[in-house]
Amino acid sequence: MPDTDPDHTQAALASDALREPARQRKVIHVDMDAFYASVEQRDNPALRGRPVAVGGSRERGVVAAASYEARRFGVHSAMPSVTAKRSCPELVFVKPRFDVYKEVSLQIRAIFSEYTSLIEPLSLDEAYLDVTENLKGVEYATQIAREIRARIWDETSLTASAGISVNKFLSKMASDQNKPNGQFVITPDMAPSFVASLRIGKFHGIGQKTEEKMNRLGIFTGLDLRAKSVDFLRQNFGKSGIYYYWIARGIDERPVQPDRVRKSVGAENTFEHDLSSYEEMTEVLAPIIDKVWNHCARTGIRGRTVTLKVKYQDFQQITRSRSVQDEVQSRDGIARISAELLAGLFPMPRPVRLLGVSLSGLNTEADEVGTDDGPQLSLAF
């Protein structure tokens, strides 16, 4: 049954009436198709048409990316390599070449910059572009997306998919619709029905645990989510509940942010053999902490919160964090807090297969612009 609250409904309607109309945007989400694996297939003709996994083939390896040929067998990123090989015996493992992927990513970014300066990278292989007032004066965002995808193919021999809509949430959802090598538009008129029919696990920003919690609360689709009041969602999901309330209505006023703020710096490692002793773990933590601190030293980033990540033999994962009043100013500071967090977990219930350390509460971090209240107006696409 929908969660009904007459007082809240009236308050929401009054709020709707008082809102200033939001300025309509044209947002494109560009997502490279199986990026890492596609680069490997491009550079090595022997891999073309074959199921390829980028990552370690060892027993403790993990798939970083999978080609579409491999995905047909259920192989996907973050899957243990042993499981992937079992799912697809013909799977070819290739070691990642992140320097090459970064170089190609910069080529693609250069293409974006010819159309707009409002580019928000999410990773090496995807980005949001605000083309409302684009540099080429092109009226239709669909045309810009088509041109960008053609340019990417001409200059890199790689395919990209694109989603076009009035905000980041909808454009992200749209880019998944016609993969690979396609594009899809969600117009303002389409948005309510599109979101209503979407399975909740397909919502960008709703992970597996949140999906399971929503399912327990009777929320399985966008329509179910839209039936819940903002008070209900805030009570069950905290501040994220407000975001869920608006995206269930296809509304997302977060701007495309060219200088996206990094929230944390971290590194981790999966070990060849499970570890059980404190001494072994502190030893292998050293190079992980080195990676984190080297990045901090190079960029000037400092943070207040150190988080230790532990993944056990059975893949269960836990984290432990500690915050300090002043920013951690040295590698030794990160190492000391990490060691104390680790010691607090002993005796370990099970052997450990992975350890990670991250630093958050960074001095570069600013408050993220949230989802503003505001209706969407129609605009030509």
Side-chain angles (χ1 to χ4, degrees), residues 74-91:
V75 179
H76 56 79
S77 61
M79 175 182 277
S81 298
V82 172
T83 305
K85 191 70 174 178
R86 193 180 305 125
S87 301
C88 179
E90 302 302 316
L91 190 64

Side-chain angles (χ1 to χ4, degrees), residues 156-334:
T156 70
S157 298
L158 299 170
T159 64
S161 296
I164 305 101
S165 196
V166 295
N167 58 47
K168 295 203 293 189
F169 172 73
L170 291 174
S171 66
K172 172 74 173 176
M173 295 298 94
S175 66
D176 285 335
Q177 295 304 302
N178 283 336
K179 269 187 162 291
N181 196 25
Q183 62 185 60
F184 187 79
V185 182
I186 300 177
T187 66
D189 289 341
M190 292 168 55
S193 60
F194 180 89
V195 175
S197 64
L198 205 63
R199 185 171 62 80
I200 208 68
K202 293 290 186 181
F203 275 53
H204 177 55
I206 294 182
Q208 183 179 350
K209 290 184 178 178
T210 303
E211 179 187 9
E212 291 171 354
K213 182 176 181 180
M214 286 191 173
N215 289 170
R216 290 195 298 271
L217 294 169
I219 303 170
F220 297 92
T221 66
L223 186 62
D224 296 332
L225 183 60
R226 194 162 66 198
K228 300 298 182 184
S229 71
V230 69
D231 294 330
F232 175 90
L233 294 172
R234 192 174 345 192
Q235 180 181 351
N236 285 280
F237 300 101
K239 288 190 294 184
S240 296
I242 301 172
Y243 173 70
Y244 300 150
Y245 177 85
W246 288 116
I247 61 172
R249 290 154 176 78
I251 297 172
D252 176 9
E253 289 302 321
R254 296 172 301 159
V256 173
Q257 297 177 292
D259 299 313
R260 197 160 178 263
V261 177
R262 178 187 283 272
K263 295 291 184 181
S264 65
V265 177
E268 61 185 41
N269 192 20
T270 301
F271 311 117
E272 292 282 356
H273 305 287
D274 295 330
L275 306 180
S276 299
S277 73
Y278 178 78
E279 290 73 20
E280 285 180 306
M281 294 185 204
T282 52
E283 182 177 345
V284 297
L285 272 177
I288 297 173
I289 293 167
D290 285 341
K291 287 183 181 179
V292 176
W293 179 250
N294 288 343
H295 181 85
C296 292
R298 188 171 66 251
T299 60
I301 288 175
R302 299 292 184 271
R304 296 179 54 250
T305 301
V306 175
T307 298
L308 176 71
K309 174 180 175 181
V310 177
K311 185 178 288 186
Y312 294 115
Q313 183 182 49
D314 60 0
F315 287 87
Q316 181 185 352
Q317 179 178 301
I318 63 168
T319 58
R320 294 292 184 269
S321 300
R322 181 175 301 170
S323 297
V324 294
Q325 185 172 357
D326 298 318
E327 295 162 357
V328 179
Q329 294 291 339
S330 67
R331 181 204 178 282
D332 288 346
I334 299 175

Side-chain angles (χ1 to χ4, degrees), residues 144-156:
I144 294 175
R146 197 173 294 114
E147 288 184 13
I148 286 174
R149 291 175 48 242
R151 288 278 307 280
I152 290 173
W153 172 254
D154 289 343
E155 297 183 25
T156 70

Side-chain angles (χ1 to χ4, degrees), residues 26 115-116 130-140 144:
K26 299 178 185 179
Y115 291 85
T116 179
D130 187 327
V131 297
T132 312
E133 296 178 358
N134 60 87
L135 299 176
K136 291 183 177 287
V138 178
E139 180 180 3
Y140 295 101
I144 294 175

